[in-house]
Amino acid sequence: MKPFQVAMPKTVSQASRLQQEESAPFLAAGTDLLARIKEYVTVPDLVIDLKRIDGFHGITSDERGVWIGALTSMREVAEHAAIRDGFPALSETIENAATPQIRNMATIGGNLCQQPRCWYLRHEGYSCVKNGGTGCWAREGENEFHAVFGNKVCAVTHPSNAAPVLVAYDAVIEIQGDGKTREVAAEHFFVTPEQDPRKEVNLAAGEMVTRILLPGENQTTRWGYSEAREKQSFDWALASVTVLLDRGGRAGENRVVFGAVSPAPLRRKDLEKILADGANDPDRISQLQQKVGEGATPLSQNGYKVPMLQGLIAKAVRMAHGQKEG
């Protein structure tokens, strides 16, 4: 690992200006960044540690909903009463992510902004469209864990398990830069390779995620989350499905979002409409399963993700309707 210096700004403005001047990466807990530095994927001379900045930690509530500081640990998010009670899909999802040690360290902001786990991207010997080169090695190479949707420019999958759930809740991402604050809907926070292959999230130079809002109007007790992994002890999802029904008590206001099968969380409005059209029954679930693969372009080794999604959506829908798996 190449030696680097660490800056510890005390304000957002200081961190923002420093990042723009030095093109240095921000450091939250470092569970992703330090791994990339060790692998020589990222070779910075300077890293900007955000942990000394006030206002980035903790969970609060107001008339809009629940606010989560970007540097709040994943464990704190999963265990907080306001999230367990009002947004249980997020709590459940995080509780099943990674390991207890990583959840104690990793932050919710870092989880959203981490880089994809594509082995071509993370190997110093490969040049691809995502790191400044051209083409996508995974399209013709080893692609077992890569995207089956939106994979024509780049076949990475977004690694955050929390991201699809936040999209389903219509979470709001608060972003600050040098003296400026803006809010972006979670659905528009994640950037696809077609939009910009060099980016994963909607952040300009000097900007950072400061808080995440879970809108109170989108709470629901009718939810389901299902995912599949290669190994259950500790692994990233091969595919996931988040289902929210009747958000805020509004009949027919549903969300279906896929994770780990595309470069950004994939909302499926066509499946949401099917859920709004009728009651839960085997025919309805079969209809959902038949449409799951529409728009998919599987690669040579990852076609299994389509039938996997068919099983996961059936499980998530039954869970949302209060049916336990046998």
Side-chain angles (χ1 to χ4, degrees):
M1 180 171 66
K2 176 187 172 182
F4 56 87
Q5 294 182 314
V6 179
M8 298 181 179
K10 294 184 178 180
T11 67
V12 170
S13 293
Q14 289 175 356
S16 177
R17 287 195 297 269
L18 192 58
Q19 200 276 334
Q20 293 179 76
E21 293 169 359
E22 303 292 338
S23 297
F26 290 131
L27 173 71
T31 53
D32 176 40
L33 176 61
L34 292 179
R36 288 189 280 119
I37 292 175
K38 290 177 182 177
E39 296 166 359
Y40 289 89
V41 177
T42 300
V43 190
D45 295 315
L46 176 71
V47 168
I48 303 168
D49 191 332
L50 301 176
K51 290 191 286 292
R52 304 302 193 277
I53 302 176
D54 290 336
F56 276 29
H57 298 82
I59 300 172
T60 59
S61 299
D62 63 15
E63 66 281 357
R64 293 181 66 185
V66 177
W67 291 90
I68 308 171
L71 294 188
T72 306
S73 74
M74 299 288 278
R75 177 189 59 80
E76 292 175 88
V77 174
E79 294 179 356
H80 197 277
I83 295 174
R84 279 185 179 276
D85 295 341
F87 306 92
L90 181 61
S91 179
E92 175 76 13
T93 302
I94 293 176
E95 282 187 337
N96 287 289
T99 64
Q101 294 88 343
I102 291 176
R103 293 195 296 273
N104 282 337
M105 286 293 298
T107 65
I108 185 68
N111 182 270
L112 298 185
C113 296
Q114 63 184 302
Q115 282 197 346
R117 303 284 165 174
C118 173
W119 40 63
Y120 296 110
L121 176 62
R122 287 177 175 255
H123 193 289
E124 57 183 320
Y126 290 92
S127 176
C128 67
V129 67
K130 200 152 192 63
N131 61 20
T134 59
C136 174
W137 290 88
R139 286 190 55 80
E140 303 298 332
E142 295 289 332
N143 51 47
E144 179 182 357
F145 304 126
H146 285 72
V148 292
F149 295 94
N151 57 10
K152 296 189 183 303
V153 175
C154 172
V156 299
T157 59
H158 198 282
S160 171
N161 65 318
V165 184
L166 292 176
V167 170
Y169 278 121
D170 280 344
V172 176
I173 313 299
E174 182 187 81
I175 298 167
Q176 290 189 33
D178 188 8
K180 299 179 181 179
T181 301
R182 64 188 179 100
E183 295 183 352
V184 177
E187 187 171 356
H188 303 300
F189 177 68
F190 302 98
V191 178
T192 66
E194 286 79 7
Q195 295 170 314
D196 186 343
R198 298 298 302 277
K199 297 177 68 174
E200 291 82 42
V201 292
N202 182 4
L203 292 175
E207 288 189 325
M208 65 205 79
V209 174
T210 51
R211 294 190 300 173
I212 299 160
L213 170 67
L214 294 167
E217 64 184 8
N218 293 333
Q219 296 183 40
T220 180
T221 58
R222 306 184 68 199
W223 63 275
Y225 175 84
S226 59
E227 71 171 44
R229 310 179 191 174
E230 190 170 43
K231 59 181 185 289
Q232 291 302 307
S233 57
F234 168 46
D235 208 351
W236 284 268
L238 297 173
S240 74
V241 175
T242 302
V243 173
L244 302 182
L245 302 179
D246 301 340
R247 297 185 319 165
R250 299 180 293 274
E253 184 168 317
N254 309 319
R255 288 293 185 273
V256 176
V257 185
F258 293 169
V261 294
S262 55
L266 181 62
R267 182 181 170 192
R268 292 291 300 267
K269 295 182 181 180
D270 55 336
L271 304 182
E272 294 169 4
K273 186 176 185 305
I274 292 174
L275 286 172
D277 284 345
N280 174 45
D281 56 48
D283 289 340
R284 189 71 56 191
I285 289 178
S286 177
Q287 187 179 356
L288 288 167
Q289 290 176 313
Q290 290 173 21
K291 287 187 70 68
V292 156
E294 289 189 4
T297 53
L299 304 175
S300 59
Q301 300 170 12
N302 67 359
Y304 69 91
K305 288 197 175 188
V306 173
M308 180 177 282
L309 284 170
Q310 291 175 332
L312 292 174
I313 195 166
K315 180 178 179 180
V317 169
R318 286 194 291 265
M319 181 180 176
H321 283 276
Q323 300 177 9
K324 295 183 179 181
E325 294 295 308

